[in-house]
Every structure is written in C-alpha cells, then in structure tokens.
Coordinates of all heavy atoms in Angstrom, one line a residue:
M7 N 97.2 85.3 79.9 CA 97.4 85.7 81.3 C 96.2 85.2 82.1 O 95.1 85.0 81.7 CB 97.3 87.3 81.4 CG 98.4 88.0 80.5 SD 100.0 87.9 81.2 CE 99.9 89.1 82.6
E8 N 96.5 85.0 83.4 CA 95.5 84.5 84.3 C 95.6 85.2 85.7 O 96.7 85.5 86.1 CB 95.6 83.0 84.6 CG 94.4 82.4 85.3 CD 94.5 80.9 85.4 OE1 94.8 80.2 84.4 OE2 94.2 80.4 86.5
L9 N 94.5 85.5 86.2 CA 94.4 86.2 87.5 C 94.8 85.2 88.6 O 94.3 84.1 88.7 CB 93.0 86.7 87.8 CG 92.7 87.3 89.2 CD1 93.5 88.6 89.4 CD2 91.2 87.6 89.4
V10 N 95.8 85.6 89.4 CA 96.3 84.7 90.5 C 96.1 85.3 91.9 O 96.1 84.5 92.9 CB 97.7 84.3 90.4 CG1 97.9 83.4 89.1 CG2 98.7 85.5 90.3
Y11 N 95.9 86.6 92.0 CA 95.7 87.2 93.3 C 95.0 88.5 93.2 O 95.2 89.3 92.3 CB 97.1 87.4 94.0 CG 97.1 87.8 95.4 CD1 96.8 86.9 96.4 CD2 97.2 89.2 95.7 CE1 96.8 87.3 97.7 CE2 97.2 89.6 97.1 CZ 96.9 88.7 98.1 OH 96.9 89.1 99.4
S12 N 94.2 88.7 94.2 CA 93.5 90.0 94.3 C 93.2 90.4 95.8 O 93.0 89.5 96.6 CB 92.2 90.0 93.6 OG 91.5 91.2 93.6
H13 N 93.4 91.6 96.1 CA 93.2 92.0 97.5 C 92.7 93.5 97.5 O 93.1 94.2 96.6 CB 94.5 91.9 98.3 CG 94.3 91.9 99.8 ND1 94.1 93.1 100.5 CD2 94.3 91.0 100.7 CE1 93.9 92.8 101.8 NE2 94.1 91.5 102.0
D14 N 91.9 93.9 98.5 CA 91.4 95.2 98.5 C 92.5 96.2 98.9 O 92.4 97.4 98.6 CB 90.2 95.4 99.4 CG 90.5 95.2 100.9 OD1 91.5 94.5 101.2 OD2 89.7 95.6 101.7
Q15 N 93.6 95.8 99.5 CA 94.7 96.7 99.8 C 95.8 96.5 98.7 O 96.4 95.4 98.6 CB 95.3 96.3 101.1 CG 94.4 96.4 102.3 CD 93.9 97.8 102.6 OE1 94.5 98.8 102.1 NE2 92.9 98.0 103.3
L16 N 96.1 97.6 98.0 CA 97.1 97.6 97.0 C 98.5 97.2 97.6 O 99.3 96.5 97.0 CB 97.3 99.0 96.4 CG 98.3 99.2 95.3 CD1 98.1 98.2 94.1 CD2 98.4 100.6 94.8
L17 N 98.7 97.6 98.9 CA 99.9 97.2 99.6 C 100.1 95.7 99.6 O 101.2 95.2 99.3 CB 99.8 97.7 101.0 CG 100.9 97.5 102.0 CD1 101.9 98.6 101.8 CD2 100.5 97.4 103.4
M18 N 99.1 94.9 99.8 CA 99.2 93.5 99.9 C 99.5 92.9 98.5 O 100.2 92.0 98.3 CB 97.9 92.9 100.4 CG 97.6 93.3 101.8 SD 98.8 92.9 103.0 CE 98.7 91.1 103.1
V19 N 98.8 93.5 97.5 CA 99.0 93.0 96.1 C 100.4 93.3 95.7 O 101.1 92.4 95.1 CB 98.0 93.7 95.2 CG1 98.2 93.3 93.7 CG2 96.6 93.4 95.6
N20 N 101.0 94.4 96.1 CA 102.4 94.7 95.8 C 103.3 93.8 96.5 O 104.3 93.4 95.9 CB 102.7 96.2 96.1 CG 102.4 97.1 95.0 OD1 102.6 96.8 93.8 ND2 101.9 98.3 95.3
H21 N 102.9 93.4 97.7 CA 103.8 92.5 98.5 C 103.8 91.2 97.7 O 104.9 90.6 97.6 CB 103.2 92.3 99.9 CG 104.0 91.4 100.7 ND1 105.2 91.8 101.3 CD2 103.8 90.1 101.1 CE1 105.6 90.8 102.0 NE2 104.8 89.8 101.9
V22 N 102.7 90.7 97.3 CA 102.7 89.4 96.6 C 103.5 89.5 95.3 O 104.2 88.6 94.9 CB 101.2 89.0 96.3 CG1 101.2 87.7 95.4 CG2 100.5 88.7 97.6
R23 N 103.3 90.7 94.6 CA 104.0 90.9 93.4 C 105.6 90.8 93.6 O 106.3 90.2 92.8 CB 103.7 92.3 92.8 CG 104.1 92.4 91.4 CD 103.7 93.8 90.9 NE 103.9 93.8 89.4 CZ 104.1 94.9 88.7 NH1 104.1 96.0 89.3 NH2 104.3 94.8 87.4
N24 N 106.0 91.3 94.7 CA 107.4 91.2 95.1 C 107.9 89.8 95.3 O 108.9 89.3 94.9 CB 107.8 92.1 96.3 CG 107.7 93.5 96.0 OD1 107.9 93.9 94.9 ND2 107.5 94.4 97.0
L25 N 107.0 89.0 96.0 CA 107.3 87.6 96.2 C 107.4 86.9 94.9 O 108.3 86.0 94.8 CB 106.1 87.0 97.1 CG 106.1 87.3 98.6 CD1 104.9 86.6 99.2 CD2 107.4 87.0 99.3
L26 N 106.5 87.1 94.0 CA 106.5 86.5 92.7 C 107.8 86.9 92.0 O 108.4 86.0 91.4 CB 105.3 86.8 91.9 CG 104.0 86.3 92.4 CD1 102.8 86.8 91.5 CD2 104.0 84.8 92.5
E27 N 108.1 88.1 92.0 CA 109.3 88.6 91.4 C 110.6 87.9 91.9 O 111.5 87.5 91.1 CB 109.5 90.1 91.5 CG 109.4 90.8 90.2 CD 109.3 92.3 90.4 OE1 110.1 92.9 91.1 OE2 108.3 92.9 89.8
S28 N 110.6 87.7 93.2 CA 111.8 87.0 93.8 C 111.8 85.5 93.4 O 112.8 84.9 93.6 CB 111.9 87.2 95.3 OG 110.7 86.8 95.9
A29 N 110.7 85.0 92.9 CA 110.6 83.7 92.4 C 110.8 83.7 90.9 O 110.4 82.7 90.2 CB 109.4 83.0 92.8
Y30 N 111.2 84.8 90.3 CA 111.4 84.9 88.9 C 110.1 84.8 88.1 O 110.1 84.2 87.0 CB 112.5 84.0 88.4 CG 113.8 84.2 89.1 CD1 114.2 83.3 90.1 CD2 114.6 85.3 88.9 CE1 115.3 83.4 90.8 CE2 115.8 85.5 89.6 CZ 116.1 84.5 90.5 OH 117.3 84.7 91.2
I31 N 109.0 85.2 88.7 CA 107.7 85.1 88.0 C 107.3 86.6 87.6 O 107.2 87.4 88.5 CB 106.6 84.5 88.8 CG1 107.0 83.1 89.2 CG2 105.3 84.5 88.1 CD1 106.2 82.4 90.3
K32 N 107.1 86.9 86.4 CA 106.7 88.2 86.0 C 105.2 88.3 86.2 O 104.4 87.4 85.8 CB 107.0 88.5 84.5 CG 108.5 88.9 84.3 CD 108.7 89.4 82.9 CE 110.2 89.7 82.7 NZ 110.5 89.8 81.3
S33 N 104.7 89.4 86.8 CA 103.3 89.6 87.0 C 102.9 91.0 86.4 O 103.7 91.9 86.3 CB 102.9 89.4 88.4 OG 103.6 90.4 89.2
E34 N 101.6 91.1 86.1 CA 101.1 92.3 85.7 C 100.0 92.8 86.7 O 99.2 92.1 87.1 CB 100.4 92.1 84.3 CG 100.0 93.4 83.6 CD 99.4 93.1 82.2 OE1 100.1 92.5 81.4 OE2 98.3 93.4 82.1
L35 N 100.2 94.1 87.1 CA 99.3 94.6 88.1 C 98.1 95.3 87.3 O 98.4 96.2 86.5 CB 100.0 95.6 89.0 CG 99.3 96.3 90.1 CD1 98.8 95.2 91.1 CD2 100.3 97.2 90.8
R36 N 96.9 94.9 87.6 CA 95.7 95.6 87.0 C 94.8 96.2 88.0 O 94.9 95.8 89.2 CB 94.9 94.6 86.2 CG 95.8 94.0 85.1 CD 94.9 93.1 84.2 NE 95.8 92.4 83.2 CZ 95.3 91.5 82.3 NH1 94.1 91.1 82.4 NH2 96.1 90.9 81.5
N37 N 94.1 97.2 87.6 CA 93.1 97.9 88.5 C 93.8 98.7 89.6 O 93.2 99.1 90.6 CB 92.2 96.9 89.3 CG 91.1 96.4 88.4 OD1 91.0 96.8 87.2 ND2 90.3 95.5 88.9
E38 N 95.1 99.0 89.4 CA 95.9 99.7 90.4 C 95.2 101.0 90.8 O 95.3 101.4 91.9 CB 97.3 99.9 89.8 CG 98.2 100.5 90.9 CD 99.6 100.7 90.3 OE1 99.9 100.3 89.2 OE2 100.5 101.1 91.1
F39 N 94.7 101.7 89.8 CA 94.2 103.1 90.1 C 92.7 103.2 90.1 O 92.1 104.3 90.2 CB 94.8 104.0 89.0 CG 96.3 104.0 89.0 CD1 97.0 103.5 88.0 CD2 97.0 104.5 90.1 CE1 98.3 103.5 88.0 CE2 98.4 104.5 90.1 CZ 99.0 104.0 89.0
L40 N 92.0 102.1 90.0 CA 90.5 102.1 89.9 C 89.9 102.4 91.3 O 88.8 103.0 91.3 CB 89.9 100.8 89.4 CG 90.0 100.7 87.8 CD1 89.4 99.3 87.4 CD2 89.3 101.8 87.1
G41 N 90.5 101.9 92.3 CA 89.9 101.9 93.7 C 89.2 103.2 94.1 O 88.1 103.2 94.5
S42 N 89.9 104.3 93.9 CA 89.4 105.6 94.5 C 88.2 106.1 93.7 O 87.2 106.6 94.3 CB 90.5 106.6 94.6 OG 91.1 106.7 93.3
G43 N 88.3 106.1 92.4 CA 87.2 106.8 91.7 C 86.3 105.8 91.0 O 85.9 105.9 89.8
A44 N 86.0 104.7 91.7 CA 85.3 103.6 91.0 C 83.9 103.8 90.6 O 83.4 103.2 89.7 CB 85.3 102.4 92.0
G45 N 83.2 104.7 91.2 CA 81.8 105.1 90.8 C 80.9 103.9 90.9 O 80.6 103.4 92.0
D46 N 80.3 103.5 89.7 CA 79.3 102.5 89.7 C 79.8 101.1 89.8 O 79.0 100.1 89.9 CB 78.5 102.6 88.4 CG 77.8 104.0 88.4 OD1 77.5 104.5 89.5 OD2 77.5 104.5 87.3
L47 N 81.1 100.9 89.7 CA 81.6 99.5 89.7 C 81.4 98.8 91.1 O 81.5 99.5 92.1 CB 83.1 99.5 89.4 CG 83.5 99.9 88.0 CD1 85.0 100.1 87.9 CD2 83.0 99.0 87.0
A48 N 81.1 97.5 91.1 CA 81.0 96.8 92.3 C 82.4 96.8 93.0 O 83.4 96.7 92.3 CB 80.6 95.4 92.0
P49 N 82.4 96.8 94.3 CA 83.7 96.9 95.0 C 84.8 95.9 94.6 O 85.9 96.2 94.4 CB 83.4 96.7 96.5 CG 82.0 97.2 96.6 CD 81.3 96.8 95.2
L50 N 84.3 94.6 94.4 CA 85.2 93.6 94.1 C 85.9 93.8 92.7 O 87.0 93.4 92.5 CB 84.5 92.2 94.0 CG 85.4 91.0 94.1 CD1 86.3 90.9 95.3 CD2 84.6 89.7 94.0
D51 N 85.2 94.5 91.8 CA 85.8 94.8 90.5 C 86.9 95.8 90.5 O 87.6 96.0 89.6 CB 84.7 95.3 89.5 CG 83.7 94.2 89.2 OD1 84.1 93.0 89.3 OD2 82.6 94.5 88.8
T52 N 87.0 96.5 91.7 CA 88.0 97.6 91.7 C 89.2 97.2 92.5 O 90.1 98.0 92.7 CB 87.3 98.8 92.4 OG1 87.1 98.5 93.8 CG2 86.1 99.2 91.7
W53 N 89.2 95.9 93.0 CA 90.4 95.5 93.7 C 91.6 95.4 92.8 O 91.4 94.9 91.6 CB 90.2 94.1 94.4 CG 89.3 94.1 95.6 CD1 88.5 95.1 96.0 CD2 89.2 93.1 96.5 NE1 87.9 94.7 97.2 CE2 88.3 93.5 97.5 CE3 89.8 91.8 96.7 CZ2 87.9 92.7 98.6 CZ3 89.4 91.0 97.7 CH2 88.5 91.5 98.7
P54 N 92.8 95.8 93.2 CA 94.0 95.6 92.4 C 94.1 94.1 92.2 O 93.9 93.3 93.1 CB 95.1 96.1 93.3 CG 94.4 97.0 94.3 CD 93.1 96.4 94.5
E55 N 94.6 93.7 91.0 CA 94.7 92.3 90.6 C 96.1 92.0 90.1 O 96.7 92.8 89.4 CB 93.7 91.9 89.5 CG 92.3 92.1 89.9 CD 91.3 91.9 88.8 OE1 91.8 91.9 87.6 OE2 90.1 91.6 89.0
L56 N 96.6 90.8 90.4 CA 97.8 90.3 89.8 C 97.6 89.3 88.8 O 96.9 88.3 89.1 CB 98.7 89.7 90.9 CG 99.7 90.7 91.7 CD1 100.6 89.8 92.6 CD2 100.5 91.5 90.7
W57 N 98.1 89.5 87.6 CA 98.0 88.5 86.5 C 99.3 88.0 86.1 O 100.3 88.8 86.1 CB 97.3 89.2 85.3 CG 95.9 89.6 85.6 CD1 95.4 90.5 86.4 CD2 94.7 89.0 84.9 NE1 94.0 90.6 86.3 CE2 93.6 89.7 85.4 CE3 94.5 88.0 84.0 CZ2 92.3 89.4 85.0 CZ3 93.2 87.7 83.5 CH2 92.1 88.4 84.1
V58 N 99.4 86.7 85.8 CA 100.7 86.1 85.4 C 100.4 85.4 84.1 O 99.3 85.0 83.8 CB 101.3 85.2 86.4 CG1 101.6 85.9 87.7 CG2 100.5 83.9 86.6
A59 N 101.5 85.1 83.3 CA 101.4 84.3 82.1 C 100.9 82.9 82.4 O 101.2 82.4 83.5 CB 102.7 84.3 81.4
F60 N 100.2 82.3 81.5 CA 99.7 80.9 81.7 C 100.8 79.9 82.2 O 100.5 79.1 83.0 CB 98.9 80.4 80.5 CG 97.6 81.1 80.2 CD1 97.4 81.8 79.1 CD2 96.6 81.0 81.2 CE1 96.2 82.4 78.8 CE2 95.4 81.6 80.9 CZ 95.2 82.3 79.8
D61 N 101.9 80.1 81.6 CA 103.0 79.2 81.9 C 103.5 79.3 83.4 O 104.0 78.4 83.9 CB 104.3 79.5 81.0 CG 104.0 79.0 79.6 OD1 103.0 78.3 79.4 OD2 104.8 79.3 78.7
D62 N 103.2 80.4 84.0 CA 103.7 80.7 85.3 C 102.6 80.5 86.4 O 102.8 80.6 87.6 CB 104.2 82.1 85.5 CG 105.5 82.3 84.7 OD1 106.3 81.3 84.6 OD2 105.8 83.4 84.3
V63 N 101.4 80.2 86.0 CA 100.2 80.1 86.9 C 100.5 79.1 88.0 O 100.3 79.5 89.2 CB 98.9 79.8 86.2 CG1 97.8 79.5 87.2 CG2 98.5 81.0 85.3
E64 N 100.9 77.9 87.7 CA 101.1 76.9 88.8 C 102.1 77.3 89.8 O 101.9 77.2 91.0 CB 101.5 75.6 88.1 CG 100.4 74.9 87.3 CD 99.1 74.7 88.2 OE1 99.3 74.2 89.3 OE2 98.0 75.0 87.7
K65 N 103.2 77.9 89.2 CA 104.3 78.3 90.1 C 103.9 79.5 91.0 O 104.1 79.5 92.2 CB 105.5 78.8 89.2 CG 106.8 78.6 89.8 CD 107.9 78.9 88.8 CE 109.1 79.5 89.4 NZ 110.1 80.1 88.4
A66 N 103.1 80.4 90.4 CA 102.7 81.6 91.1 C 101.7 81.1 92.2 O 101.8 81.6 93.4 CB 102.0 82.5 90.2
K67 N 100.8 80.2 91.9 CA 99.9 79.7 92.9 C 100.6 79.0 94.1 O 100.2 79.1 95.2 CB 98.8 78.8 92.3 CG 97.8 79.6 91.5 CD 96.7 78.8 90.9 CE 95.6 79.7 90.3 NZ 94.7 78.9 89.5
A68 N 101.7 78.3 93.8 CA 102.5 77.7 94.8 C 103.1 78.7 95.7 O 103.0 78.6 97.0 CB 103.5 76.8 94.2
V69 N 103.6 79.8 95.1 CA 104.2 80.8 95.9 C 103.2 81.5 96.8 O 103.4 81.7 98.0 CB 104.9 81.9 95.0 CG1 105.2 83.2 95.8 CG2 106.1 81.4 94.3
I70 N 102.0 81.7 96.3 CA 100.9 82.4 97.0 C 100.4 81.5 98.1 O 100.1 82.0 99.3 CB 99.8 82.9 96.1 CG1 100.4 84.0 95.2 CG2 98.6 83.3 96.9 CD1 99.5 84.3 94.0
S71 N 100.3 80.2 97.9 CA 99.7 79.3 98.9 C 100.8 79.1 100.0 O 100.4 79.0 101.2 CB 99.2 78.0 98.4 OG 100.3 77.2 97.9
N72 N 102.0 79.1 99.7 CA 103.1 79.1 100.7 C 103.0 80.3 101.6 O 103.1 80.2 102.8 CB 104.5 79.0 100.1 CG 104.8 77.7 99.6 OD1 104.2 76.7 100.1 ND2 105.8 77.6 98.8
M73 N 102.7 81.4 101.0 CA 102.6 82.7 101.7 C 101.5 82.6 102.7 O 101.6 83.1 103.8 CB 102.4 83.8 100.7 CG 102.2 85.1 101.3 SD 101.6 86.2 100.0 CE 99.8 85.9 100.1
D74 N 100.3 82.1 102.3 CA 99.2 82.0 103.2 C 99.4 81.1 104.4 O 98.8 81.3 105.4 CB 98.0 81.5 102.4 CG 97.4 82.5 101.4 OD1 97.7 83.7 101.6 OD2 96.7 82.1 100.5
N75 N 100.3 80.2 104.2 CA 100.6 79.3 105.3 C 101.5 79.9 106.4 O 101.6 79.3 107.5 CB 101.2 78.0 104.8 CG 100.3 77.2 104.0 OD1 99.1 77.3 104.2 ND2 100.8 76.3 103.1
E76 N 102.1 80.9 106.0 CA 103.0 81.6 107.0 C 102.1 82.4 108.0 O 101.6 83.5 107.6 CB 104.0 82.5 106.3 CG 105.1 81.7 105.6 CD 106.0 82.7 104.9 OE1 106.2 83.8 105.3 OE2 106.6 82.3 103.9
S77 N 102.0 82.0 109.2 CA 101.1 82.7 110.1 C 101.7 84.1 110.4 O 101.0 85.0 110.8 CB 100.9 81.9 111.4 OG 102.2 81.7 112.0
A78 N 103.0 84.2 110.3 CA 103.6 85.5 110.6 C 103.5 86.5 109.4 O 104.1 87.6 109.5 CB 105.1 85.3 110.9
F79 N 102.9 86.1 108.4 CA 102.8 87.0 107.2 C 102.1 88.3 107.4 O 102.6 89.3 107.0 CB 102.2 86.2 106.0 CG 101.9 87.1 104.8 CD1 103.0 87.7 104.2 CD2 100.7 87.4 104.4 CE1 102.8 88.5 103.1 CE2 100.5 88.2 103.3 CZ 101.5 88.7 102.6
V80 N 101.0 88.3 108.2 CA 100.4 89.5 108.5 C 100.1 89.7 110.0 O 100.1 88.7 110.7 CB 99.0 89.6 107.7 CG1 99.2 89.7 106.3 CG2 98.1 88.5 108.2
W81 N 100.0 90.9 110.4 CA 99.6 91.1 111.8 C 98.5 92.2 111.7 O 98.5 93.0 110.8 CB 100.8 91.5 112.7 CG 101.6 92.7 112.1 CD1 102.6 92.6 111.2 CD2 101.5 94.0 112.6 NE1 103.1 93.9 111.0 CE2 102.5 94.8 111.8 CE3 100.7 94.7 113.5 CZ2 102.6 96.1 112.0 CZ3 100.9 96.1 113.6 CH2 101.8 96.8 112.9
H82 N 97.7 92.2 112.8 CA 96.6 93.1 112.8 C 96.9 94.2 113.8 O 97.3 93.9 115.0 CB 95.2 92.5 113.1 CG 94.7 91.7 112.0 ND1 95.1 90.4 111.8 CD2 93.9 92.0 111.0 CE1 94.5 89.9 110.7 NE2 93.8 90.9 110.2
C83 N 96.8 95.5 113.4 CA 97.1 96.6 114.2 C 96.1 96.7 115.4 O 94.9 96.5 115.3 CB 97.0 97.9 113.4 SG 97.2 99.4 114.4
K84 N 96.7 96.9 116.6 CA 95.8 97.0 117.8 C 95.1 98.4 117.9 O 94.2 98.6 118.6 CB 96.7 96.8 119.1 CG 97.2 95.4 119.2 CD 97.9 95.2 120.6 CE 98.1 93.7 120.8 NZ 98.9 93.0 119.7
G85 N 95.6 99.3 117.1 CA 95.0 100.6 117.1 C 93.8 100.7 116.1 O 92.7 101.2 116.5
C86 N 94.0 100.3 114.9 CA 92.9 100.5 113.9 C 92.5 99.2 113.3 O 91.6 99.2 112.4 CB 93.4 101.5 112.8 SG 94.7 100.8 111.8
D87 N 93.1 98.0 113.7 CA 92.7 96.7 113.2 C 93.0 96.5 111.8 O 92.5 95.6 111.1 CB 91.2 96.4 113.5 CG 90.9 94.9 113.5 OD1 91.8 94.2 114.0 OD2 89.9 94.5 113.1
E88 N 93.9 97.3 111.2 CA 94.3 97.2 109.8 C 95.3 96.0 109.7 O 96.0 95.7 110.6 CB 94.9 98.5 109.3 CG 95.1 98.5 107.8 CD 93.9 98.2 107.0 OE1 93.0 99.1 107.0 OE2 93.8 97.1 106.5
E89 N 95.3 95.3 108.5 CA 96.2 94.2 108.3 C 97.5 94.8 107.8 O 97.5 95.6 106.9 CB 95.5 93.4 107.2 CG 96.0 91.9 107.2 CD 95.1 91.1 106.3 OE1 95.3 91.1 105.1 OE2 94.2 90.4 106.8
N90 N 98.6 94.3 108.3 CA 99.9 94.7 107.9 C 100.8 93.6 107.6 O 100.7 92.5 108.2 CB 100.6 95.5 109.1 CG 100.0 96.9 109.3 OD1 100.3 97.8 108.7 ND2 99.1 96.9 110.3
P91 N 101.7 93.7 106.6 CA 102.6 92.7 106.2 C 103.6 92.5 107.4 O 103.9 93.4 108.1 CB 103.4 93.2 105.0 CG 102.5 94.3 104.5 CD 101.8 94.9 105.7
A92 N 104.1 91.2 107.5 CA 105.0 90.9 108.7 C 106.2 91.8 108.7 O 106.8 92.1 109.7 CB 105.4 89.4 108.6
A93 N 106.7 92.2 107.5 CA 107.9 93.0 107.4 C 107.7 94.4 108.0 O 108.7 95.1 108.3 CB 108.3 93.1 106.0
F94 N 106.5 94.8 108.2 CA 106.3 96.2 108.7 C 106.4 96.2 110.3 O 105.8 95.4 110.9 CB 104.9 96.7 108.3 CG 104.8 97.2 106.9 CD1 105.4 96.5 105.9 CD2 104.1 98.3 106.6 CE1 105.4 96.9 104.6 CE2 104.0 98.7 105.2 CZ 104.6 98.0 104.2
D95 N 107.1 97.2 110.8 CA 107.2 97.3 112.2 C 106.2 98.3 112.8 O 105.9 98.2 114.0 CB 108.6 97.8 112.6 CG 109.7 96.7 112.4 OD1 109.3 95.5 112.5 OD2 110.8 97.1 112.1
I96 N 105.7 99.1 112.0 CA 104.6 100.0 112.4 C 103.4 99.9 111.4 O 103.6 99.5 110.3 CB 105.0 101.5 112.5 CG1 105.5 102.0 111.1 CG2 106.1 101.7 113.5 CD1 105.6 103.5 111.0
C97 N 102.2 100.1 111.9 CA 101.0 100.1 111.1 C 101.1 101.1 109.9 O 101.4 102.2 110.1 CB 99.8 100.4 111.9 SG 98.3 100.5 111.0
W98 N 100.9 100.6 108.7 CA 101.0 101.5 107.6 C 99.9 102.5 107.6 O 100.0 103.6 107.0 CB 100.9 100.7 106.3 CG 99.6 100.0 106.0 CD1 99.2 98.8 106.4 CD2 98.5 100.6 105.3 NE1 97.9 98.6 106.0 CE2 97.4 99.7 105.3 CE3 98.2 101.8 104.7 CZ2 96.2 99.9 104.8 CZ3 97.0 102.1 104.1 CH2 96.0 101.1 104.2
Q99 N 98.8 102.2 108.3 CA 97.7 103.2 108.3 C 97.8 104.2 109.4 O 97.7 105.4 109.1 CB 96.4 102.4 108.4 CG 95.2 103.4 108.3 CD 93.9 102.7 107.9 OE1 93.6 102.5 106.8 NE2 93.1 102.3 108.9
C100 N 98.0 103.8 110.6 CA 97.9 104.7 111.7 C 99.3 104.9 112.4 O 99.4 105.6 113.4 CB 96.8 104.3 112.8 SG 97.3 102.9 113.7
E101 N 100.3 104.1 112.0 CA 101.7 104.2 112.4 C 101.9 103.8 113.9 O 102.8 104.2 114.5 CB 102.2 105.7 112.2 CG 102.2 106.0 110.7 CD 102.9 107.4 110.5 OE1 103.1 108.1 111.4 OE2 103.2 107.7 109.3
K102 N 100.9 103.0 114.4 CA 101.2 102.4 115.7 C 102.2 101.3 115.6 O 102.2 100.6 114.6 CB 99.8 101.8 116.2 CG 99.2 102.6 117.4 CD 98.1 101.8 118.0 CE 97.3 102.5 119.0 NZ 98.0 102.8 120.2
P103 N 103.1 101.1 116.6 CA 104.0 100.0 116.5 C 103.4 98.7 116.6 O 102.2 98.5 117.1 CB 104.9 100.2 117.8 CG 104.6 101.6 118.3 CD 103.2 102.0 117.8
K104 N 104.1 97.6 116.1 CA 103.5 96.3 115.9 C 103.0 95.7 117.2 O 102.0 95.1 117.3 CB 104.6 95.4 115.3 CG 104.2 94.1 114.8 CD 105.5 93.5 114.1 CE 105.2 92.2 113.5 NZ 106.4 91.8 112.7
I105 N 103.8 95.8 118.3 CA 103.4 95.2 119.6 C 102.9 96.3 120.5 O 103.6 97.3 120.7 CB 104.6 94.4 120.2 CG1 105.1 93.3 119.3 CG2 104.2 93.9 121.6 CD1 104.1 92.2 119.0
Ligands
ZN217 ZN1 96.8 100.9 112.7

C-alpha cells in the first residue's frame, strides 16, 4: 500500500476516495477517527489518509492530479472561508449558499 492523498478535512478525503472508486481503484482510509482526540500527535499525523495498492498508485495519482487541475473543484465560503467541494451548493460548515 502507498499513501496517495491526505487532507485535514475528512470530507475532502472522502471525496477523493469516491473519485478513485469511480475509476475502479480501491482505497483504504486511515486516520479517519484520530483527528478529534489526537492528544500529543503532531497535527499532520492526524490527517485522514488515503492508501492504495502499489499496482494502483500511478492510476490513483493521475486521478488526483486531474482533480487538482479542475478549478471548479472547490469553492471557498464567503461566510466562514471554509473549502467546499464543487458539488456542494451550500457550505458544509456554516450552510451559507455557494454564491
Ligand atoms: Zn461557510
């Protein structure tokens, strides 16, 4: 297994996981529940992580880099400045509408 993606928002990691799944790449989510009660761990160690099998690493990275190139992939909330996936019409955090 190899780590292909990590983000401090579980929402984003799940989004990428869905993208990989739709490309028939199986991924494993790690650190899903560490975030809240992390204690002494450094913040980066508590980010949710997506791992894929070595055979799928190249393919997964291609999917993820395509995703990064889509400028419409995320939008920033005008209310709380949180990052939201393009598919969301309201902010997941404060529920303000997209525009
Ligand atoms: Zn917001």
Side-chain angles (χ1 to χ4, degrees):
M7 302 287 284
E8 189 173 317
L9 174 66
V10 292
Y11 187 79
S12 183
H13 195 283
D14 64 341
Q15 301 292 345
L16 179 60
L17 183 85
M18 300 301 288
V19 177
N20 272 324
H21 181 76
V22 172
R23 194 179 192 202
N24 287 338
L25 287 179
L26 293 180
E27 243 168 51
S28 57
Y30 305 103
I31 301 167
K32 277 190 184 164
S33 60
E34 190 178 300
L35 185 58
R36 298 187 184 173
N37 283 356
E38 186 177 1
F39 302 111
L40 280 181
S42 50
D46 296 334
L47 294 172
L50 195 60
D51 289 338
T52 68
W53 284 18
E55 297 174 342
L56 270 187
W57 292 67
V58 302
F60 287 118
D61 287 350
D62 288 331
V63 169
E64 290 304 315
K65 208 172 148 192
K67 284 184 175 171
V69 169
I70 291 166
S71 70
N72 280 341
M73 177 193 85
D74 287 342
N75 290 337
E76 287 177 29
S77 56
F79 172 62
V80 295
W81 54 277
H82 287 87
C83 174
K84 290 186 170 54
C86 67
D87 205 35
E88 191 53 72
E89 204 170 80
N90 289 277
F94 282 41
D95 289 330
I96 60 168
C97 174
W98 66 270
Q99 179 159 277
C100 71
E101 298 186 349
K102 252 190 186 291
K104 194 172 183 173
I105 300 295

